[in-house]
Amino acid sequence: MSHAYELVVSGVGAPRPRRTLEATSPRRGEKVVQASLAACAVLSVLVTTAIVVSLLTPTIGFFREVSIVEFLTSTTWAPAFARPSFGVWPIVVGTLMVVFFALIVAIPIGLACAVYLSEYASRRVRGVVKPVLEVLEGIPTVATGLFAFFFLTPLAKQILPFLPWQGPFSIGVAGVAVGLLIVPLVSSVSDDAMRSVPAGLREGAYALGANKLRVTTRVVFPAAISGVVAAVVLGTSRAIGETMVVLIAAGAGNPNLSFDPTKGIQTMTAYIGGRATGDIAMGTIVYDTIFAVGTLLFIMTLSMNMLAIRLVRRFREVYE
Amino acid sequence: MPSRQTTNETLSSTDRRVAALAPGPPVNIATGQAADPGAGEREVTFRLEGVSVRYGEALAVKDVTMDIHHKDITALIGPSGCGKSTLLRCLNRMNDLIPSARVSGRLWYHGEDVYGPKVDPVQVRKLIGMVFQKPNPFPKSIYDNVAFGPRTTGMKGDMDEIVERALRSAALWDEVKDRLKENAYGMSGGQQQRLCIARCIATEPDVILMDEPCSALDPISTARIEDLMHELKEQYTIVIVTHNMQQAARVSDRTAFFTAEVDEATDVRTGVLVEYDRTEKVFSNPGDERTENYVTGRFG
């Protein structure tokens, strides 16, 4: 390929050789890179599809034996009993209670944290707090679960002794622990969204005699709302799917329908996590239930995300 | 317009009216830097005495002394990096938002020290509005954009009227009266900038600072804003930074020419005031060679 260029440097005044417009090399490397990137993209789609299919096959088997009406309307969850009952509501309520308590903790703390970091904190404070938050995101959930069981629950019993506590498990405490777990996620994503609001908007508001609180609440926060909603939805999905913390702090027992936060209540994930151990017999109805519950979880997070996308489209303040 | 309080509104956040204003500082003409043309002709809105601005170690503006007069349009011109915008942002304490910025020297607003210990920057900005280089409407409706300032300052009165009056003053009412609830980002760049002017007027400031308000606009939009400035001049003191010398010549009463002195060792550009005079004088018979070179297009 170098022959085309050799003559160019051969001397001043020498006639320039005509250079061709055709490619000087087949550039195979470029095609290889493109193909391997495409393969990765296809692979991730395939894996996702495979997960859904592997969930659905046993789920279909389950619904051949149990009517979908019973699954969704009955309020007794006793799949392994001699006279089994397959009403999924008790464990759905367990999951929803975890989400409820988690969001009660995570939304105010997470957003306050984000507002502080993005608008109030000096560069030095931010330089310390932000990385610490990001490290907290990586704490193993089993550690958070132990923290909830051995520290938060006794603490809650001390602070609120008038509540009817019974046994070591509490769905409310588990929810609060999950909330603490997702605070870094909510605050970090919201903080990024608020910081990406153009500085010009802040200046415009300050120039009208607005104080910091007003600039933050009336200009920056609304402009960042789509990112903030995304943060809350991510947190919610995480709370729905959280297994280890609820398994430890809320226990895998008691599938009775209850709204009492001081009780240990089984969640959907805790049911799956508790059941899906080595001694479960494949092809039995109990085996199939974990997939049915898994599919329902998947549908819940999916509709959650779709709802969020619609909300974001509707309330987004578009700048540019 | 309702009766406008021009001189008896103070910069302090407390309601306490400063009865005895700070003693009028003498104009320092001794520096020879800023001969004050026609001093005493008109009320002085801003009096700058040896104002310097630093960003960290770097000196951005050095020792500016000048008077800015009531209901004049004062243009600040000069090449890039000569500190015009920096100086403008001192006037309403927008530089406070940049942590490393430090202002020294004295800056008086109707005899009150803008950087005095009791002065509240939020109050300063209520009285001294600003329009920016790039139109920066909020991602809200046209109505909410204009109403933002009055709502912030807790202005009394019918909000619809306040909004209409501001939009009329900014020569925008007829174009937007049927779509006040639409998002401001659906407007053209020129309309957006006039909206920003309306937003600024709605808070009833005494002074409007404009930081290259037309640099992102096409010539027709620019002409409309220049016309608007002539109308606004009846009611407001206007200080405008511009790169466009023709614009300075067309709209302003007085022109201040700045240039940048480059420190060879540190490569820091420091803005200095070269000449400040009536606009006709600066453009037809400048007193300094550097001004002449700039306004005749030989440099910059």
Side-chain angles (χ1 to χ4, degrees), chain A residues 6 27-28 30 40 69 87 122 152 192 235 237 253 282 287 293:
Chain A
E6 270 168 6
R27 285 208 287 271
R28 286 198 190 85
E30 204 172 328
C40 289
V69 178
S122 70
L152 280 186
D192 289 342
S237 295
M282 238 179 116
Y287 173 84
V293 173

mmCIF file of all heavy atoms in Angstrom, chain A residues 6 27-28 30 40 69 87 122 152 192 235 237 253 282 287 293:
data_model
loop_
_atom_site.group_PDB
_atom_site.id
_atom_site.type_symbol
_atom_site.label_atom_id
_atom_site.label_comp_id
_atom_site.label_asym_id
_atom_site.label_seq_id
_atom_site.Cartn_x
_atom_site.Cartn_y
_atom_site.Cartn_z
ATOM 1 N N GLU A 6 5.249 6.700 -2.114
ATOM 2 C CA GLU A 6 6.703 6.772 -2.184
ATOM 3 C C GLU A 6 7.190 7.964 -3.000
ATOM 4 O O GLU A 6 8.104 8.669 -2.617
ATOM 5 C CB GLU A 6 7.248 5.489 -2.823
ATOM 6 C CG GLU A 6 7.536 4.423 -1.783
ATOM 7 C CD GLU A 6 7.798 3.084 -2.419
ATOM 8 O OE1 GLU A 6 7.863 3.004 -3.663
ATOM 9 O OE2 GLU A 6 7.939 2.115 -1.656
ATOM 10 N N ARG A 27 -9.847 -2.969 4.907
ATOM 11 C CA ARG A 27 -10.339 -2.538 6.222
ATOM 12 C C ARG A 27 -11.222 -3.603 6.876
ATOM 13 O O ARG A 27 -12.385 -3.350 7.207
ATOM 14 C CB ARG A 27 -11.101 -1.219 6.094
ATOM 15 C CG ARG A 27 -10.167 -0.032 5.883
ATOM 16 C CD ARG A 27 -10.761 1.249 6.413
ATOM 17 N NE ARG A 27 -11.827 1.741 5.579
ATOM 18 C CZ ARG A 27 -11.642 2.562 4.549
ATOM 19 N NH1 ARG A 27 -10.436 3.004 4.279
ATOM 20 N NH2 ARG A 27 -12.657 2.957 3.829
ATOM 21 N N ARG A 28 -10.639 -4.779 7.027
ATOM 22 C CA ARG A 28 -11.435 -5.868 7.619
ATOM 23 C C ARG A 28 -11.694 -5.605 9.093
ATOM 24 O O ARG A 28 -12.730 -5.958 9.616
ATOM 25 C CB ARG A 28 -10.692 -7.199 7.441
ATOM 26 C CG ARG A 28 -10.751 -7.699 6.021
ATOM 27 C CD ARG A 28 -10.413 -9.167 5.917
ATOM 28 N NE ARG A 28 -10.262 -9.510 4.505
ATOM 29 C CZ ARG A 28 -9.134 -9.362 3.802
ATOM 30 N NH1 ARG A 28 -8.056 -8.907 4.402
ATOM 31 N NH2 ARG A 28 -9.084 -9.654 2.532
ATOM 32 N N GLU A 30 -12.462 -3.018 10.738
ATOM 33 C CA GLU A 30 -13.663 -2.234 10.986
ATOM 34 C C GLU A 30 -14.902 -3.116 10.959
ATOM 35 O O GLU A 30 -15.790 -3.000 11.800
ATOM 36 C CB GLU A 30 -13.751 -1.158 9.899
ATOM 37 C CG GLU A 30 -14.553 0.030 10.309
ATOM 38 C CD GLU A 30 -14.443 1.135 9.265
ATOM 39 O OE1 GLU A 30 -13.373 1.241 8.614
ATOM 40 O OE2 GLU A 30 -15.405 1.851 9.085
ATOM 41 N N CYS A 40 -22.976 -8.525 20.389
ATOM 42 C CA CYS A 40 -23.236 -8.251 21.806
ATOM 43 C C CYS A 40 -24.650 -7.731 22.011
ATOM 44 O O CYS A 40 -25.347 -8.150 22.945
ATOM 45 C CB CYS A 40 -22.234 -7.229 22.351
ATOM 46 S SG CYS A 40 -20.584 -7.897 22.502
ATOM 47 N N VAL A 69 -58.198 -17.248 38.049
ATOM 48 C CA VAL A 69 -59.128 -16.522 38.921
ATOM 49 C C VAL A 69 -58.781 -16.781 40.378
ATOM 50 O O VAL A 69 -58.698 -15.865 41.197
ATOM 51 C CB VAL A 69 -60.588 -16.945 38.618
ATOM 52 C CG1 VAL A 69 -61.549 -16.226 39.563
ATOM 53 C CG2 VAL A 69 -60.931 -16.661 37.163
ATOM 54 N N GLY A 87 -54.026 -18.459 46.415
ATOM 55 C CA GLY A 87 -54.320 -17.024 46.317
ATOM 56 C C GLY A 87 -53.048 -16.216 46.557
ATOM 57 O O GLY A 87 -52.433 -16.292 47.618
ATOM 58 N N SER A 122 -20.993 22.829 48.982
ATOM 59 C CA SER A 122 -19.811 23.399 48.356
ATOM 60 C C SER A 122 -19.109 22.286 47.593
ATOM 61 O O SER A 122 -19.394 21.105 47.783
ATOM 62 C CB SER A 122 -18.866 23.965 49.416
ATOM 63 O OG SER A 122 -18.291 22.907 50.147
ATOM 64 N N LEU A 152 -31.924 -2.560 63.474
ATOM 65 C CA LEU A 152 -33.107 -1.723 63.266
ATOM 66 C C LEU A 152 -34.328 -2.240 64.023
ATOM 67 O O LEU A 152 -35.052 -1.469 64.645
ATOM 68 C CB LEU A 152 -33.429 -1.635 61.762
ATOM 69 C CG LEU A 152 -32.618 -0.658 60.928
ATOM 70 C CD1 LEU A 152 -33.173 -0.594 59.511
ATOM 71 C CD2 LEU A 152 -32.638 0.735 61.547
ATOM 72 N N ASP A 192 -27.817 13.876 39.533
ATOM 73 C CA ASP A 192 -27.327 14.024 38.162
ATOM 74 C C ASP A 192 -28.336 14.779 37.311
ATOM 75 O O ASP A 192 -27.962 15.640 36.507
ATOM 76 C CB ASP A 192 -27.059 12.637 37.546
ATOM 77 C CG ASP A 192 -25.837 11.976 38.168
ATOM 78 O OD1 ASP A 192 -25.037 12.697 38.787
ATOM 79 O OD2 ASP A 192 -25.693 10.752 38.036
ATOM 80 N N GLY A 235 -35.759 3.150 41.936
ATOM 81 C CA GLY A 235 -35.786 2.761 43.343
ATOM 82 C C GLY A 235 -36.942 1.815 43.632
ATOM 83 O O GLY A 235 -36.783 0.818 44.342
ATOM 84 N N SER A 237 -38.534 -0.184 41.521
ATOM 85 C CA SER A 237 -38.277 -1.494 40.921
ATOM 86 C C SER A 237 -37.304 -2.288 41.780
ATOM 87 O O SER A 237 -37.457 -3.487 41.989
ATOM 88 C CB SER A 237 -37.692 -1.334 39.522
ATOM 89 O OG SER A 237 -38.631 -0.739 38.682
ATOM 90 N N GLY A 253 -41.709 -16.898 56.455
ATOM 91 C CA GLY A 253 -42.934 -17.575 56.886
ATOM 92 C C GLY A 253 -44.148 -16.685 56.757
ATOM 93 O O GLY A 253 -44.152 -15.746 55.966
ATOM 94 N N MET A 282 -38.705 -30.832 40.867
ATOM 95 C CA MET A 282 -39.067 -30.261 39.576
ATOM 96 C C MET A 282 -40.384 -30.850 39.081
ATOM 97 O O MET A 282 -40.676 -32.014 39.303
ATOM 98 C CB MET A 282 -37.972 -30.577 38.564
ATOM 99 C CG MET A 282 -37.368 -29.341 37.942
ATOM 100 S SD MET A 282 -36.071 -29.814 36.807
ATOM 101 C CE MET A 282 -36.763 -29.235 35.287
ATOM 102 N N TYR A 287 -43.148 -26.317 42.573
ATOM 103 C CA TYR A 287 -42.084 -25.840 41.683
ATOM 104 C C TYR A 287 -42.634 -24.806 40.708
ATOM 105 O O TYR A 287 -42.017 -23.752 40.474
ATOM 106 C CB TYR A 287 -41.494 -27.039 40.936
ATOM 107 C CG TYR A 287 -40.496 -26.705 39.850
ATOM 108 C CD1 TYR A 287 -39.160 -26.491 40.151
ATOM 109 C CD2 TYR A 287 -40.905 -26.615 38.522
ATOM 110 C CE1 TYR A 287 -38.255 -26.194 39.152
ATOM 111 C CE2 TYR A 287 -40.006 -26.315 37.519
ATOM 112 C CZ TYR A 287 -38.678 -26.109 37.837
ATOM 113 O OH TYR A 287 -37.776 -25.812 36.848
ATOM 114 N N VAL A 293 -45.189 -16.791 40.360
ATOM 115 C CA VAL A 293 -44.947 -15.586 41.162
ATOM 116 C C VAL A 293 -43.888 -14.711 40.490
ATOM 117 O O VAL A 293 -44.015 -13.479 40.428
ATOM 118 C CB VAL A 293 -44.523 -15.966 42.602
ATOM 119 C CG1 VAL A 293 -44.100 -14.730 43.385
ATOM 120 C CG2 VAL A 293 -45.654 -16.677 43.317
#
